[in-house]
Amino acid sequence: MSSVRTLIRSRAGAPHLYGRAIHQQVWPGSQWSLCSGGYHTGARERPTELRYSNTHLDTIFALSTHPGKAGVAVIRVSGPQAKAVLRRMTPTTSPLPRPRHAVTRRLLCPQTSELLDKGMVVWFPGPRSFTGEDTIEFHCHGGKAVVDGLLRGIGNVGQQVRLAEAGEFARRAFENDKLDLTEVEGLADLLNAETEAQRRLALRQADGGLKTLYENWRTQLIQSMALIEALIDFGEDENIEDDVYDNVIAKVNTLYGDIKRHTDDDRCGEILRDGIHVTILGPPNAGKSSFLNFITKRQAAIVSPIPGTTRDVVEVSLDIGGYPILIGDTAGLRSSEDAIEMEGVRRAQDRINLADINIAVLPITDFHSNSGTSNAEDASRGCNVDPIVLEAIRRNPQTLVLINKMDLSGPDAEKIINGVRADDSARTHGLWGISCQTGDGVGQFLQDFVKILKERFETSLTGGTSITQYRHRKHLENCLQSLEAFLNYGPDDIVLGAEELRHAASDLGRITGRVDVEEVLDVVFREFCIGK
């Protein structure tokens, strides 16, 4: 068994598996080198790992704060010439600042020594910086002329000092092992977060939540691979215990269950990241557009007494209770001879089928109270709701139903609402009575709506880390397929099983950027602004 432990120690950190080298196109000015050494298992020699060697020749700079007039602007400089930039942009008599301490300095033009501004300077010597390289931050006044003057001055320091490309600071942090790919994606999401829920979700990912989880799973797989390889190489060795294979099967079964539970999340993390798609549906003139205008507090959609006014989807972004909502008003659902209106109905039905949550708005005038009866079911039998609308609600049992125009219902309003709620043949998720004309009931619905959102999505923000990208989910699904294939192989097919474990570990490595991810890097780093 000692030989098995030796294999585990030697392979646990390797980003490639079973001697397949990682062939990657690299960022200009960098190279990948093979670390010396390796391990030998009697029959085959395998390299240990490929690591990035930092040979960036260019020093990059950019405005890291938003352009335009502001009290303060921050210009970031990173690369081997960062210290030279600092020396040229400040008086020659000024000492080098202490690392990570802000100091005030006169900022000068490197060609003429003309005073450009007075500001603060922070020196971050590598590798203890965001990019892992020597980094300087100039904190100056945020006027356009001041910022432009400083950027021109930094650009004139030397030929190897140039303006950064979009996302290049973050890319250097990734290449220098300061961030993994999930942390980079989390950082991009944090910069783009517009609601409290998106901020919390992105911050957990940027803080390494997914990295820790996936790297832990990958380490477990590599350890299992080492044990399987030991059985392949030393299967006849009496030092190999008989239960090694059974132990690997047990570990892989546990890991399969963990990953499966992680992916069975109803896409909550992805939905929160991209925005919760909510569709308003109902018959013409039910008050759908009035409801949209009421909750957005503006005239987002045209309101008219003419049925069929809304022909296309009108979408508005909202922050409701800290959750990102993309709410769409749709054409009234009904049969019509008008080809344009029927195209609007078709688009409405497509939007309904793709929505995360549907809200049906029905006018109370489509329900007639059977006066003289106290039976709630009898009170709801006079229903004139279009069958197309009822079918759309029945196909989506999580639909929230709003009975609108309560101000027109008179004394029978409560009886009608109770009747519809008791009948509930459409199996709705909830029912509220509102009036978009007076606002009655809308506030209560919005409070209940936030509770529904919390019930569905809060676990993604407070529980375990959540999948936020389709890319992650695809690799995890591929990993599960490989693990399932391994479990289906028996001891007689141990070599084929080992190959499946290699594929599974490779898919986990692609999520964090440890293995073969060059094809996704440009897509990821395009999400950043120039100065990040």
Side-chain angles (χ1 to χ4, degrees), residues 28 30 74 95 120 154 164 170 173 264 299 522:
S30 65
V74 177
M120 291 196 304
I154 295 171
D264 292 340
Q299 294 298 309
D522 289 336

Side-chain angles (χ1 to χ4, degrees), residues 444-512:
Q444 182 61 52
F445 165 72
L446 291 177
Q447 291 179 20
D448 293 341
F449 184 56
V450 171
K451 292 178 182 177
I452 292 171
L453 295 176
K454 285 185 177 180
E455 181 181 323
R456 180 171 175 181
F457 297 105
E458 191 67 17
T459 303
S460 299
L461 302 174
T462 59
T465 49
S466 300
I467 302 170
T468 60
Q469 305 260 359
Y470 171 77
R471 184 183 73 84
H472 303 173
R473 187 175 300 279
K474 186 62 178 176
H475 285 309
L476 290 170
E477 290 172 351
N478 291 341
C479 176
L480 286 173
Q481 291 177 5
S482 297
L483 293 180
E484 187 173 1
F486 168 79
L487 293 171
N488 289 333
Y489 285 122
D492 295 337
D493 295 317
I494 193 171
V495 175
L496 295 176
E499 181 72 2
E500 295 297 341
L501 287 184
R502 184 188 66 77
H503 286 309
S506 180
D507 276 305
L508 288 178
R510 286 188 174 95
I511 298 176
T512 60

Side-chain angles (χ1 to χ4, degrees), residues 294-368:
F294 189 92
I295 62 175
T296 59
K297 296 181 172 59
R298 64 185 178 89
Q299 294 298 309
I302 297 174
V303 175
S304 166
I306 302 173
T309 301
T310 302
R311 298 295 181 93
D312 209 344
V313 177
V314 178
E315 187 172 88
V316 178
S317 298
L318 291 174
D319 180 343
I320 298 180
Y323 293 90
I325 304 296
L326 296 174
I327 188 165
D329 179 24
T330 60
L333 299 178
R334 68 171 177 177
S335 297
S336 173
E337 299 298 325
D338 188 327
I340 297 177
E341 184 175 359
M342 288 309 296
E343 174 62 19
V345 171
R346 186 193 65 78
R347 296 187 182 190
Q349 291 173 330
D350 289 343
R351 171 71 188 233
I352 291 167
N353 294 332
L354 295 174
D356 301 309
I357 298 174
N358 287 311
I359 299 176
V361 178
L362 309 176
I364 199 167
T365 51
D366 280 357
F367 299 88
H368 300 293

Side-chain angles (χ1 to χ4, degrees), residues 91-380:
T92 56
T93 56
S94 299
L96 190 69
R98 293 173 57 193
R100 290 167 292 282
H101 283 72
V103 296
T104 56
R105 287 288 187 270
R106 292 160 57 87
L107 305 179
L108 309 177
C109 174
Q111 283 77 36
T112 65
S113 296
E114 176 190 359
L115 179 66
L116 299 176
D117 194 20
K118 294 180 180 178
M120 291 196 304
V121 174
V122 188
W123 163 237
F124 299 93
R128 295 181 61 188
S129 67
F130 174 74
T131 60
E133 304 171 326
D134 287 352
T135 302
I136 286 289
E137 286 185 359
F138 294 103
H139 296 239
C140 60
H141 293 98
K144 183 178 185 300
V146 174
V147 172
D148 288 348
L150 288 171
L151 291 176
R152 280 195 302 270
I154 295 171
N156 290 328
V157 167
Q159 291 184 347
Q160 292 180 328
V161 180
R162 62 171 175 82
L163 193 66
E165 298 180 18
E168 191 170 359
F169 288 96
R171 185 156 192 160
R172 291 193 177 193
F174 168 75
E175 291 176 336
N176 290 329
D177 250 356
K178 305 298 289 186
L179 299 172
D180 87 317
L181 203 52
T182 63
E183 291 172 314
V184 171
E185 290 169 325
L187 182 58
D189 289 345
L190 188 61
L191 296 176
N192 294 321
E194 296 182 351
T195 69
E196 178 68 10
Q198 289 176 320
R199 179 194 66 79
R200 292 167 62 190
L201 188 68
L203 189 58
R204 292 175 64 190
Q205 183 171 332
D207 202 33
L210 289 179
K211 171 187 176 181
T212 301
L213 179 66
Y214 296 156
E215 283 299 313
N216 177 53
W217 286 344
R218 185 169 174 273
T219 298
Q220 293 180 48
L221 271 179
I222 292 174
Q223 291 173 343
S224 296
M225 288 160 50
L227 292 172
I228 293 296
E229 278 287 293
L231 289 175
I232 294 173
D233 291 342
F234 309 110
E236 304 299 325
D237 194 326
E238 60 183 10
N239 291 328
I240 303 295
E241 298 175 3
D242 295 336
D243 62 348
V244 168
Y245 184 78
D246 292 337
N247 289 338
V248 171
I249 292 295
K251 289 180 180 178
V252 172
N253 261 314
T254 300
L255 184 59
Y256 180 90
D258 291 342
I259 298 176
K260 183 65 175 170
R261 284 188 292 273
H262 182 62
T263 57
D264 292 340
D265 61 349
D266 294 326
R267 296 181 54 253
C268 287
E270 293 165 84
I271 291 172
L272 278 179
R273 175 183 180 269
D274 298 332
I276 303 167
H277 287 262
V278 176
T279 297
I280 306 172
L281 65 98
N285 266 26
K288 302 183 299 299
S289 298
S290 296
F291 175 71
L292 178 67
N293 291 342
F294 189 92
I295 62 175
T296 59
K297 296 181 172 59
R298 64 185 178 89
Q299 294 298 309
I302 297 174
V303 175
S304 166
I306 302 173
T309 301
T310 302
R311 298 295 181 93
D312 209 344
V313 177
V314 178
E315 187 172 88
V316 178
S317 298
L318 291 174
D319 180 343
I320 298 180
Y323 293 90
I325 304 296
L326 296 174
I327 188 165
D329 179 24
T330 60
L333 299 178
R334 68 171 177 177
S335 297
S336 173
E337 299 298 325
D338 188 327
I340 297 177
E341 184 175 359
M342 288 309 296
E343 174 62 19
V345 171
R346 186 193 65 78
R347 296 187 182 190
Q349 291 173 330
D350 289 343
R351 171 71 188 233
I352 291 167
N353 294 332
L354 295 174
D356 301 309
I357 298 174
N358 287 311
I359 299 176
V361 178
L362 309 176
I364 199 167
T365 51
D366 280 357
F367 299 88
H368 300 293
S369 171
N370 292 315
S371 57
T373 180
S374 60
N375 186 282
E377 286 80 357
D378 290 341
S380 68

Side-chain angles (χ1 to χ4, degrees), residues 52-109:
Y52 177 79
S53 293
N54 181 15
T55 58
H56 286 298
L57 298 179
D58 287 347
T59 294
I60 57 175
F61 68 95
L63 177 67
S64 289
T65 49
H66 195 278
K69 293 181 180 180
V72 177
V74 177
I75 298 174
R76 176 182 285 169
V77 183
S78 179
Q81 299 298 316
K83 187 184 295 186
V85 170
L86 176 61
R87 295 290 194 192
R88 295 286 302 277
M89 296 293 294
T90 56
T92 56
T93 56
S94 299
L96 190 69
R98 293 173 57 193
R100 290 167 292 282
H101 283 72
V103 296
T104 56
R105 287 288 187 270
R106 292 160 57 87
L107 305 179
L108 309 177
C109 174

